[in-house]
Every structure is written in structure tokens, then in C-alpha cells.
Amino acid sequence: MAKILIIYYSESGNTAEMAQLIAEGVKMKEDVEVNVKDVSDARVEELLEVEGVIIGSPTYYGSMAAEIKKFIDESVKFHGKLEGKVGGAFSSSAQIGGGNETTIMDILKAHLIHGMIIQGSPKGDHYGPVAIGKPDERSRKLCIEYGYRIATLVSKISSLSQ
Ligand SMILES: Cc1cc2nc3c(=O)[nH]c(=O)nc-3n(C[C@H](O)[C@H](O)[C@H](O)COP(=O)(O)O)c2cc1C
């Protein structure tokens, strides 16, 4: 069965809550498994074992938290080996216009440099789900939908390679 790993860093719980909501969405796709991990419990080796990787971070000065950056930098160990996997990103910030989209783009850039496949969205949050503080009704819905969309893509790509 195809697998998605959701990795996040969260100091006050908002990004962690988004990670769980995205996982809920993934679980709606029956042929895809999901594992959610705090970045401090995740090892870069695990990236090799999954078909999709979704990374979430609070917005810190318009970019990802150092803990997430460190994990991404460690993934250089597998540079070239993650090509063709699906990547995604999400972020929580304190304010609208506080940099959550630039945070997502920074994570997506790392996925692209690994040769991963990114899916945007023509409606809702175009680059990946965002929340302002604790996810509200709008963010909750978009996180669940995002999980389902990424799982659907992972499922399609995995069926091609079988
Ligand atoms: C060091 C630091 C930098 C931050 N920088 C920003 C920022 O640039 N823009 C913003 O809107 N919020 C910023 N915040 C607020 C967090 O992004 C926000 O509280 C977020 O919801 C925290 O997520 P968490 O509950 O997963 O830790 C910052 C918080 C900290 C601690």
C-alpha cells in the first residue's frame, strides 16, 4: 500500500493540529497509509520508505522553523533518491500576510530540488493549507481536503509504477 509521511514542528500546537487534520483527509483514501510524526521523532531514512511527504511548520520570520530546516538539510544524504515522490507543505502563522505562503514555498522549493512532484490547488489555499493561529473552520476543511488530494495523487502515481 502507498504511504504518506506527515512531518511537522509545533511549539504551541497549531501546526500539530493541522498535521492531524491532513492525516484525516489522507485516511479518506482507502488505499493510502499515513503516518504523522513530530520532526524530533522523524529520521531522514524514513523518506525513502514512503511515496509522499508532507511537511508542516509554523511561520517563523516568514520561513520555516529551524527544526524543519535542519531535517531538510539532513535529507541531502538522499539527494537524487527522492525523485518522483509527491511533496506537500502547510503552515500556521499568527497573522494574515504574516508569511505563511512564503514558508510553504520554501518547503516546496526543497521538495522540487529533490525532484519531487507538487500539486497546487485552483481554489482554496493554492500552495498548501494555512491557518492563522489555531485552525478555524475554513482551515480545518482545507487541511482535510488537502490530505485527500495529495493521497489521491500518491495513489495514482503508485498505480502507474506497479
Ligand atoms: C520565533 C517566532 C517567529 C514568528 N514569526 C512569525 C511571522 O513571521 N509571521 C507570523 O504571522 N507569525 C509568526 N510567529 C507566530 C507563529 O507562526 C504562530 O504563533 C503559529 O501559529 C505557531 O504555530 P505552532 O502552534 O504550531 O507552534 C512567530 C513565532 C515565533 C515563536
Side-chain angles (χ1 to χ4, degrees), residues 68-141:
I68 292 293
K69 183 68 167 78
K70 183 168 180 282
F71 183 85
I72 288 173
D73 288 353
E74 282 170 9
S75 72
V76 70
K77 195 171 166 185
F78 300 119
H79 195 79
K81 299 230 163 66
L82 307 181
E83 195 166 355
K85 293 182 189 288
V86 173
F90 58 101
S91 182
S92 168
S93 66
Q95 322 178 51
I96 296 176
N100 51 39
E101 287 186 322
T102 49
T103 301
I104 287 178
M105 292 307 286
D106 285 352
I107 296 170
L108 295 182
K109 278 190 281 179
H111 288 327
L112 288 170
I113 291 167
H114 271 303
M116 293 167 76
I117 299 162
I118 304 298
Q119 184 174 30
S121 171
K123 44 183 192 161
D125 293 344
H126 302 305
Y127 308 116
V130 298
I132 308 302
K134 187 174 166 58
D136 60 6
E137 208 44 56
R138 188 205 72 92
S139 295
R140 296 180 72 83
K141 181 173 168 280

Side-chain angles (χ1 to χ4, degrees), residues 8-18 56-63 65 91-100 102-103 131-135:
Y8 68 91
Y9 174 74
S10 186
E11 195 63 43
S12 49
N14 300 328
T15 316
E17 201 172 322
M18 293 177 82
S57 174
T59 293
Y60 281 2
Y61 288 95
S63 190
S91 182
S92 168
S93 66
Q95 322 178 51
I96 296 176
N100 51 39
T102 49
T103 301
I132 308 302
K134 187 174 166 58

